[in-house]
Amino acid sequence: MGDSLSMDYVLSLIGPMAEGAKVTLSLFFITLFLSLPLGLALALARISSWTLLSTAVNGYIWLMRGTPLMLQLLFVYFALPFVPVIGIRLPDFPSAVVAFALNYAAYFAEIFRAGIQSVDRGQYEGSKALGMSYLQTLRRIVLPQMVRRVLPPMSNETITLVKDTSLIYVLALNDILRTARGIVQRDFTTTPFLVAAAFYLLMTLVLTWLFQRMEKRYAKFDE
Amino acid sequence: MPNSTNSANAAAAADDRSIMIEARDITKAFNGIQVLEGVSLTLRKGEVVAIIGPSGSGKSTFLRCLNHLEIIDGGSITIEGEPLATAVPGGPSRYAGDADVRRICRKMGMVFQSFNLFPHMTVLQNIIEAPMTVKRQPRSIAVPKAEALLRKVGLQVKRDNYPGRLSGGQKQRVAIARALAMEPDIMLFDEPTSALDPELTVEVLRTMRQLAEEHMTMLVVTHEMGFAREVAHRVIFMDQGRIVESADSARFFSAPQHERTRAFLGQML
């Protein structure tokens, strides 16, 4: 084996690392796809005037934010099969998806709630005075204004998600980081860690750019 | 006093106009503080009524009760013959079902002190939003109507601007156009010029005056004594949750009957 920092060696890592990136990105996108709508539903339930519902959601958010994601991951994979009634045995990747989606939904719910509650009461009154229903008001007036305000915290949270995906190594899933670690142990060089870092940086760069674009698009109106 | 008998007769004759809003003995408390203590009002078609009074007199709350922005504790509200809220002896007023409430309240447009325009929509989008989502009007009908309303309030050049780019007076004229786009029978104004600089007040009042000349039925909570005197047919003076005095605007300003009214007018004029 040649110089561990040679271009040839680094290039030889791209292939296996890209395989790892597939796992990382799958988990990232599926988690977003599930947790965004779930988070919105939780946020609406949290601010609903139905106390029972909002208290239950409050408890859920406390549970999800109050325990480590790693613990939740392990719980879904190892302990969930033994839970009565809802007990179900899931393969490794679906277990990760369930844990990540449930966890991130709780964080997104709080971001959405803050965004919804930051919309001026006058917007609801203006809509109501025009004959719009609560649902129409939410969909047409409140949520579009919320989106703009939650973009910065959402950007934070999704970037955190990119990196949190590395936790799935505990389920022996070969994401970017676990792949890198495997190669480090095989080749006795830490170069794969640098390549892994480059992969994560590239992903967060794309995300940052996307969010900046969205922020610009939504900033076309000045409040 | 034969004169006053004559004017009473004339008033009775004019009362053939259909009743648009009938509010009876409205009571309302916020956190145990009584804000309205039995307020009644009859508003007839084509009538322009100004409600004046000091801050905290309950005038805005009363207006907001009429289109269900506030829930009344007691009394009844009837809009164009349809009961919005019915008095229940010894209990809170009973409201019509949700769908009926929305349908009845659609007969009224409202203009707010703080405009409440939708900041994420252009002027045109603000105006066509409710006709399209609530009345399911196709775009091809809603847009020309909105453009006609914009011409009416003199803002056709602002069609594609966002509200953030408009002056307060322009915002309020857009808000008026937006309310008119729903083709209400009655327009409620809640201190429409109180957030505006004096020179911007003029353009909003001009638009309101124009509406009055077109015989729109209007109920206006205002501090603009000039508007109340010149445009309103009748002026109601409220204080501490009650109507103190209600009279034809000419008589209201020339010969206020109550000491409290005189004191208030003395401060304002």
Side-chain angles (χ1 to χ4, degrees), chain B residues 83-103:
Chain B
L84 176 68
T86 316
V88 175
S93 302
R94 194 179 59 246
Y95 273 87
D98 284 350
D100 284 328
V101 166
R102 281 183 58 206
R103 186 178 47 78

Side-chain angles (χ1 to χ4, degrees), chain A residues 134-193:
Chain A
Y134 180 66
L135 273 181
Q136 288 168 337
T137 305
L138 268 186
R139 193 168 57 82
R140 302 283 309 165
I141 308 303
V142 176
L143 295 185
Q145 292 183 60
M146 174 207 80
V147 168
R148 186 202 176 192
R149 290 171 203 196
V150 301
L151 281 176
M154 288 293 293
S155 164
N156 247 338
E157 206 57 37
T158 47
I159 286 173
T160 304
L161 173 58
V162 170
K163 295 169 295 173
D164 271 359
T165 53
S166 62
L167 289 174
I168 55 172
Y169 80 89
V170 293
L171 302 187
L173 283 161
N174 284 309
D175 70 325
I176 296 174
L177 190 57
R178 193 163 186 275
T179 304
R181 213 162 54 138
I183 303 173
V184 166
Q185 283 162 356
R186 187 193 68 195
D187 296 350
F188 294 107
T189 164
T190 49
T191 304
F193 283 147

Side-chain angles (χ1 to χ4, degrees), chain B residues 9-226:
Chain B
N9 285 343
D15 283 357
D16 288 346
R17 295 175 299 176
S18 53
I19 294 175
M20 304 300 273
I21 296 179
E22 178 88 74
R24 283 272 152 265
D25 301 318
I26 307 297
T27 57
K28 168 80 184 166
F30 285 119
N31 305 320
I33 297 161
Q34 202 66 34
V35 183
L36 298 176
E37 305 193 41
V39 178
S40 299
L41 165 89
T42 304
L43 186 69
R44 291 174 184 278
K45 193 171 174 61
E47 221 180 355
V48 177
V49 173
I51 306 180
I52 64 172
S55 311
S57 59
K59 54 195 194 305
S60 280
T61 303
F62 175 61
L63 194 75
R64 291 162 55 81
C65 285
L66 297 177
N67 71 341
H68 198 243
L69 288 179
E70 305 288 353
I71 305 294
I72 59 174
D73 298 334
S76 67
I77 299 172
T78 308
I79 308 296
E80 297 182 33
E82 292 195 82
L84 176 68
T86 316
V88 175
S93 302
R94 194 179 59 246
Y95 273 87
D98 284 350
D100 284 328
V101 166
R102 281 183 58 206
R103 186 178 47 78
I104 292 168
C105 287
R106 231 178 283 165
K107 297 176 192 298
M108 293 170 280
M110 187 165 197
V111 173
F112 299 85
Q113 177 178 351
S114 52
F115 324 122
N116 296 343
L117 292 179
F118 306 134
H120 60 303
M121 295 182 177
T122 63
V123 165
L124 182 78
Q125 287 167 340
N126 262 278
I127 300 174
I128 63 175
E129 177 58 29
M132 284 181 67
T133 54
V134 179
K135 283 189 163 178
R136 305 258 165 241
Q137 266 179 17
R139 207 183 164 79
S140 56
I141 291 178
V143 169
K145 275 167 80 174
E147 284 168 339
L149 284 167
L150 276 176
R151 269 195 299 281
K152 184 189 175 104
V153 299
L155 288 172
Q156 59 272 46
V157 294
K158 301 291 181 189
R159 180 186 187 276
D160 297 315
N161 285 55
Y162 285 92
R165 295 289 170 85
L166 305 182
S167 74
Q170 291 169 336
K171 281 182 191 167
Q172 199 58 297
R173 282 145 68 200
V174 171
I176 293 172
R178 182 176 74 167
L180 291 174
M182 287 300 279
E183 298 174 325
D185 298 333
I186 307 156
M187 284 287 281
L188 308 176
F189 292 84
D190 187 8
E191 304 199 24
T193 58
S194 296
L196 302 178
D197 294 337
E199 70 268 29
L200 299 178
T201 301
V202 178
E203 59 189 60
V204 173
L205 291 179
R206 195 186 303 130
T207 303
M208 290 170 63
R209 185 186 294 255
Q210 188 188 342
L211 264 187
E213 282 161 5
E214 293 165 8
H215 308 293
M216 174 59 83
T217 309
M218 294 163 67
L219 190 56
V220 186
V221 169
T222 186
H223 292 293
E224 290 296 327
M225 294 304 130

Side-chain angles (χ1 to χ4, degrees), chain A residues 33-53:
Chain A
F33 180 76
L34 295 175
S35 60
L36 286 175
L38 183 57
L40 183 60
L42 288 171
L44 292 174
R46 174 100 154 73
I47 58 174
S48 105
S49 51
W50 192 17
T51 326
L52 195 69
L53 184 66

